[in-house]
Amino acid sequence: MEKPKVVLGVSGGIAAYKACELLRRLTESGHDVRVVPTEASLHFVGAATWSALSGNPVSAEVWDSVHEVPHVRIGQHADLVVVAPATADMLAKAAHGLADDLLTNTLLTARCPVLFAPAMHTEMWEHPATQENVATLRRRGAVVLEPAVGRLTGVDTGKGRFPDPAEIFETCRRVLARGVAAPDLSGRHVVVSAGGTREPLDPVRFLGNRSSGKQGYALARTALARGARVTLIEANTGLPDPAGADIVRVGTAVQLREAVLKAAADADAVVMAAAVADFRPETYATGKIKKRDGHEPEPIALVRNPDILAEIAGGGTGERPRPGQVVVGFAAETDDVLANGRRKLRRKGCDLLVVNEVGERKTFGSEENEAVVLGADGTQTPVPHGPKDTLADLVWDLVVPRLDPSRR
């Protein structure tokens, strides 16, 4: 089979050196990569490096190898164009259709999926001009990842950091797997919760569960590859941040509720994949609970945690905090899986409920999953045993036709 053709555009930012790692992952996984740098980017990483790592010739000019018409041919033949890093200048040129070098010409001729991984200082990212350019590109169907938060050039810290190259690669892989030029979640904001909440007993102990967060992260990464703006609310996962997602970290069910309600206020869809504790200790011991010889431990009184899924889905009343929002729940069951799932679907009031059987060696921590997706409209969609990415894509396939078309 012919190798997928990827164009790696590199614009002139200090993060250009990190694109070498992205290039390595693309080439080692069997992709034919053509690097197209801007002239400014060659001040950070030279053409010889790109050529050696990719095994292909490298040029920033439309005047090189004119007989091959590279400014047209490269974009026409690509299966994916990824610009990493994408500076504020590059986003502006792409949004306004400027074509003053080989990379911007390639962007105009590409008819394949296009992905931008921005990197710049926080003030540049937050500037209204940049935000309008990003909105324009997303509206046209490009996937524009959100930059990461962290250390920038010098001592600056904030939003604008180049995302982890390994996570950008994962997004590229998912975009290529779909092979669709127009992402169907473009212009949408989705909220995904992942992981398991922990309810503290004392400074060293907590009540928790076995959730790894991997299914929620698969949902977030898949939504990013389909063009969505993703807010990922993670509880105690320890997993690497998906490139382009806004990350909110929480610990307890009460903290998760607060974060979900805030993020969901303007979201088109909310997917509650996190395993939320039903109960928490009534009291918290400020010091470590000691074992006393000859004494049985004191009983631990529990109180109910808020039902976050029912709260955002309307709890069966049909009245939601945000009307028209698509709400997806998850039900982890150990017996009578479908019967319990249908009862939970009615009780919570969500549009879709992903039901799966769990146990000590089932689902939790695994890279694979098996489920049935129940719909409030009576539909029942089985998902055979397979990668969690597959289940994630099917969930979004079911969400997309339920989205309010007037809110795009």
Side-chain angles (χ1 to χ4, degrees):
M1 294 179 62
E2 187 177 356
K3 292 182 178 180
K5 291 181 169 58
V6 177
V7 174
L8 174 57
V10 184
S11 55
I14 186 66
Y17 78 94
K18 295 184 179 180
C20 295
E21 172 67 12
L22 176 59
L23 172 58
R24 183 185 68 80
R25 289 178 178 271
L26 287 167
T27 55
E28 289 185 356
S29 57
H31 300 85
D32 181 9
V33 186
R34 176 74 179 263
V35 181
V36 181
T38 64
E39 188 66 35
S41 76
L42 295 177
H43 288 283
F44 299 100
V45 181
T49 299
W50 296 125
S51 182
L53 292 176
S54 68
N56 283 316
V58 170
S59 175
E61 298 292 338
V62 296
W63 305 109
D64 292 340
S65 303
V66 173
H67 65 287
E68 296 179 354
V69 200
H71 71 290
V72 173
R73 181 180 57 82
I74 294 174
Q76 285 179 332
H77 293 178
D79 297 303
L80 170 68
V81 177
V82 52
V83 183
T87 60
D89 179 66
M90 179 52 62
L91 293 173
K93 288 179 177 179
H96 291 277
L98 300 182
D100 59 356
D101 62 8
L102 188 55
L103 178 53
T104 49
N105 274 269
T106 298
L107 289 169
L108 283 182
T109 58
R111 295 298 179 266
C112 59
V114 177
L115 185 152
F116 294 90
M120 64 197 74
H121 274 78
T122 305
E123 293 83 359
M124 299 173 74
W125 172 254
E126 293 177 346
H127 194 282
T130 302
Q131 289 301 301
E132 182 61 31
N133 291 331
V134 169
T136 297
L137 291 168
R138 286 172 172 164
R139 190 166 57 247
R140 292 177 185 159
V143 176
V144 185
L145 302 177
E146 293 284 314
V149 177
R151 181 73 176 269
L152 306 174
T153 306
V155 298
D156 293 345
T157 299
K159 188 168 187 177
R161 183 181 174 87
F162 189 64
D164 183 351
E167 289 297 320
I168 297 174
F169 167 72
E170 286 300 319
T171 305
C172 292
R173 188 174 64 81
R174 285 169 170 81
V175 171
L176 280 165
R178 286 185 57 77
V180 179
D184 53 6
L185 286 173
S186 180
R188 302 291 190 176
H189 175 210
V190 302
V191 175
V192 178
S193 69
T197 60
R198 295 177 179 178
E199 309 301 328
L201 288 165
D202 62 22
V204 297
R205 301 181 180 91
F206 60 84
L207 298 178
N209 57 66
R210 297 180 183 274
S211 178
S212 66
K214 291 180 179 179
Q215 185 62 71
Y217 273 61
L219 284 154
R221 291 190 178 100
T222 303
L224 288 161
R226 295 171 74 150
R229 177 168 67 90
V230 177
T231 299
L232 175 62
I233 303 171
E234 72 92 21
N236 310 297
T237 66
L239 299 173
D241 296 344
D246 284 323
I247 310 297
V248 181
R249 305 190 195 283
V250 299
T252 68
V254 171
Q255 292 169 350
L256 181 66
R257 173 185 177 272
E258 181 181 350
V260 168
L261 292 180
K262 181 178 179 180
D266 69 343
D268 297 286
V270 180
V271 181
M272 291 291 297
V276 185
D278 294 322
F279 306 98
R280 67 180 184 272
E282 184 177 38
T283 59
Y284 171 74
T286 56
K288 180 182 175 182
I289 300 172
K290 300 288 188 180
K291 178 176 66 176
R292 295 185 298 165
D293 292 340
H295 293 80
E296 292 297 319
E298 293 291 330
I300 298 173
L302 302 177
V303 295
R304 278 189 184 276
N305 270 323
D307 191 331
I308 307 169
L309 179 58
E311 186 171 357
I312 62 172
T317 65
E319 297 181 6
R320 294 182 176 176
R322 181 171 168 81
Q325 187 175 74
V326 179
V327 179
V328 183
F330 272 67
E333 302 289 346
T334 57
D335 53 67
D336 294 330
V337 174
L338 289 181
N340 287 331
R342 290 189 185 96
R343 284 192 289 270
K344 185 171 185 177
L345 177 66
R346 290 191 295 269
R347 188 171 69 252
K348 305 290 186 180
C350 47
D351 300 284
L352 297 166
L353 188 72
V354 183
V355 186
N356 55 6
E357 185 177 358
V358 297
E360 187 171 348
R361 293 179 177 84
K362 294 181 180 178
T363 301
F364 289 135
S366 170
E367 301 296 335
E368 299 179 326
N369 206 343
E370 181 178 355
V372 176
V373 184
L374 304 177
D377 55 3
T379 56
Q380 181 172 311
T381 307
V383 186
H385 189 265
K388 289 184 174 179
D389 286 353
T390 301
L391 174 57
D393 253 326
L394 187 138
V395 168
W396 294 121
D397 286 345
L398 295 172
V399 166
V400 167
R402 291 169 164 83
L403 293 170
D404 186 346
S406 67
R407 287 183 174 169
R408 181 178 289 275

